[in-house]
Amino acid sequence: MNAPAPPDHYFRAVERAFLGLRAGGLVLSPADWDLVCRWEERGIPLDVVLSGIRAAFAGKIRPSSRMPLGECSRAVEAAFEARRVQRTGAAAPGETAPEAESGLERLVNGLRSWSPGEARLANPEAAGDLVAAAREAAARIERLGKCNNEASASAGDTVQAIENNLVIRLQAALPDAAREAIETEVRNRLAPYRTRMPESTWRKTFDRSVRRRVGEFFGLGPFFQ
């Protein structure tokens, strides 16, 4: 599973592609930034977003310089769905396609097999509690998957809450130097967008990026996207 593009690269690439095709305006609007943040937060791959943006402009002879990024949403969603179908694969005539492992299944399996490196913990004795917390998170997500459609907003919000609760545990187990290094790295990476994004969007992006880096620090990078 490929790691997601770093937020700074993701935002920069979307901004350049959209403004270049729109041929007007020097910056994205607050609503545009919020949309890019939501795409990144949902884990829509950068190449899919760029493909959708290009498709949205393909039929426009002379796009307006005031065109919002939101007009590309439908094309981006279509490209994302096409990618999902492509990855699932098509069954041959008369055959049933094997069921692809879902995102929830990957998350559950990863959490069940995970254990922290004691050398990365402020208190090595906390390793057992963190393993138990990861197993509990896996069990809760698995139960959720049996009761909800994975694509539903309510299911996604609940999975996010479970993940966030585990990340809080992981952040508390970080050595102070590691925590400061992660926050400094993320802050520096997102610094160019500090004054260009709405404050709430920048803060949400910062917090999510820190969570992702904490997951990566503890070997859970692919699961915290």
Side-chain angles (χ1 to χ4, degrees):
M1 187 175 191
N2 294 330
D8 60 329
H9 174 61
Y10 194 101
F11 293 137
R12 184 170 62 251
V14 173
E15 179 185 37
R16 288 179 176 176
F18 177 69
L19 293 180
L21 288 169
R22 191 175 69 174
L26 300 177
V27 297
L28 297 181
S29 70
D32 291 342
W33 279 124
D34 190 57
L35 180 57
V36 179
C37 184
R38 293 201 305 272
W39 285 340
E40 192 271 339
E41 186 174 31
R42 288 171 56 197
I44 300 181
L46 176 59
D47 66 310
V48 170
V49 172
L50 298 182
S51 174
I53 290 175
R54 289 192 294 269
F57 278 92
K60 296 183 180 295
I61 299 176
R62 185 177 298 174
S64 169
S65 61
R66 296 183 179 180
M67 173 182 168
L69 183 60
E71 288 195 24
C72 300
S73 290
R74 183 175 298 179
V76 169
E77 294 295 339
F80 191 33
E81 175 63 14
R83 173 65 61 83
R84 187 193 67 79
V85 171
Q86 181 184 35
R87 287 183 173 177
T88 301
E95 296 182 358
T96 301
E99 183 177 356
E101 184 182 43
S102 70
L104 287 184
E105 289 171 335
R106 288 194 298 273
L107 181 57
V108 167
N109 291 336
L111 290 171
R112 280 181 171 159
S113 62
W114 173 81
S115 63
E118 292 186 3
R120 290 181 171 266
L121 299 173
N123 178 11
E125 294 181 359
D129 290 340
L130 291 175
V131 168
R135 303 298 187 272
E136 173 59 22
R140 291 175 62 194
I141 293 172
E142 185 174 45
R143 289 195 297 270
L144 180 69
K146 294 178 179 178
C147 300
N148 295 280
N149 184 315
E150 181 183 351
S152 70
S154 59
D157 290 344
T158 305
V159 169
Q160 188 66 61
I162 294 171
E163 290 183 349
N164 287 344
N165 182 63
L166 180 57
V167 171
I168 290 173
R169 300 282 297 272
L170 295 176
Q171 287 178 309
L174 279 172
D176 290 340
R179 181 183 301 105
E180 292 174 3
I182 287 174
E183 292 182 355
T184 298
E185 174 195 334
V186 173
R187 187 174 292 107
N188 290 341
R189 177 176 287 176
L190 295 176
Y193 302 94
R194 193 69 170 85
T195 58
R196 294 159 63 187
M197 287 181 175
E199 175 62 25
S200 59
T201 299
W202 191 91
R203 175 53 58 181
K204 180 167 60 174
T205 303
F206 175 83
D207 290 343
R208 179 172 174 77
S209 298
V210 168
R211 291 199 302 270
R212 177 183 292 146
R213 286 293 295 115
V214 170
E216 291 172 351
F217 182 85
F218 283 110
L220 282 172
F223 307 105
F224 290 86
Q225 294 185 15

